[in-house]
Amino acid sequence: MSQSPDISVVVPVFDEEGAAPALAREIAAAFAGRQVEIIFVDDASRDGTRAALAALKAEIPQLRVLSHRRNSGQSRAIRSGVMAARAPVIVTLDGDGQNDPADGPALVEALLAGGPDLAMVGGERVRRQDSRAKKVASRLGNGVRKRLLRDTADDTGCGLKAFRREAFLRLPYFDHIHRYLPALMLREGYRVEFRPVGHRHRQTGRSKYTNLGRLWASASDLLGVMWLQSRSRLPQGVDEV
């Protein structure tokens, strides 16, 4: 790329050989005309995800492909991408193709229009294309989390988000942090907002999560984030004299 990017799109993928190439092309089309880099982070896939993405680099010059040597989870893949990103604004999407990249630019515009204290604009999925059981579990989990953490978010499970790289790197890292970004951004004194975004059927592959697995992880995560909130002391600004 001849210029430094203004936007870095970070996509974590694990065993998404069927979805990743088409998604990369959609992202390139959605952000056409902008200074953007597209970073796919392969979380040690067992299929041909990495090779399929690498084969696209000649077609999509903005594409970068990072690869974990060991599977480390979605949150770590997102962090690896953000650490490698060269732009001040990050857009994240899930790698399964259910997020529509066409919604990404609107989140970026809302973020940039909101002033420097607006650290994140998160997507909230409308007309979710998931099973009834998954939607019910998500609604219950989001309700409990929102009540306990007071993070104002109705759908933290939506992978489509736009946020400031600097703000993200201020947050304490832990596995599954991607579900608690609103609460942690608020903890640092930033503002967060949300916008409705579309949601699509998964066309290939299968989900890497189960309702039971999420429930088990969420219990300890919630307690941890509540502890972090209780130990936060904000100076309300820093002045140099």
Side-chain angles (χ1 to χ4, degrees):
M1 298 175 62
S2 59
Q3 300 181 33
S4 296
D6 299 319
I7 304 165
S8 295
V9 181
V10 174
V11 187
V13 285
F14 176 59
D15 290 353
E16 296 290 357
E17 180 181 4
L23 181 59
R25 292 187 178 100
E26 283 191 282
I27 294 170
F31 287 90
R34 299 170 182 255
Q35 290 297 320
V36 63
E37 64 178 354
I38 304 167
I39 304 174
F40 274 73
V41 184
D42 175 47
D43 191 26
S45 292
R46 301 160 296 187
D47 62 2
T49 299
R50 180 173 59 177
L53 287 168
L56 283 178
K57 293 181 70 174
E59 176 185 336
I60 307 174
Q62 314 96 302
L63 179 62
R64 300 171 61 189
V65 183
L66 309 182
S67 181
H68 283 172
R69 296 174 185 173
R70 182 174 66 181
N71 181 267
S72 301
Q74 183 174 351
S75 284
R76 178 59 74 176
I78 291 171
R79 184 171 175 82
S80 292
V82 174
M83 293 287 287
R86 298 185 297 149
V89 172
I90 307 293
V91 174
T92 61
L93 298 93
D94 286 340
D96 56 14
Q98 289 194 264
N99 296 139
D100 189 344
D103 290 321
L107 298 188
V108 172
E109 294 303 323
L111 178 69
L112 297 178
D117 65 329
L118 180 62
M120 188 187 82
V121 178
E124 292 184 336
R125 293 167 288 186
V126 296
R127 296 183 295 277
R128 284 186 60 177
Q129 304 300 309
D130 286 323
S131 68
R132 177 175 174 81
K134 195 170 185 178
K135 287 188 284 189
V136 169
S138 178
R139 191 177 300 115
L140 177 61
N142 276 307
V144 171
R145 188 216 64 260
K146 183 178 180 180
R147 182 177 181 86
L148 292 178
L149 300 184
R150 302 181 300 279
D151 61 7
T152 72
D154 290 325
D155 183 19
T156 60
C158 180
L160 184 54
K161 299 177 175 72
F163 54 80
R164 301 185 189 275
R165 180 177 184 269
E166 178 186 11
F168 178 89
L169 294 178
R170 288 176 178 265
L171 307 181
Y173 174 77
F174 55 90
D175 197 18
H176 300 137
I177 186 179
H178 64 281
R179 296 183 175 278
Y180 298 92
L181 291 183
L184 294 172
M185 293 286 189
L186 291 170
R187 176 182 181 269
E188 288 296 316
Y190 293 112
R191 290 191 298 116
V192 298
E193 294 181 359
F194 305 92
R195 296 287 189 279
V197 296
H199 193 240
R200 309 186 294 193
H201 284 288
R202 173 185 270 275
Q203 299 297 320
T204 66
R206 60 184 180 84
S207 175
K208 312 305 185 296
Y209 297 99
T210 65
N211 288 339
L212 184 60
R214 281 178 172 167
L215 177 63
W216 178 255
S218 294
S220 60
D221 290 343
L222 270 172
L223 291 174
V225 176
M226 291 171 67
W227 180 85
L228 285 171
Q229 288 179 324
S230 73
R231 305 304 296 167
S232 174
R233 299 175 67 183
L234 293 174
Q236 303 302 320
V238 180
D239 301 312
E240 183 173 353
V241 297

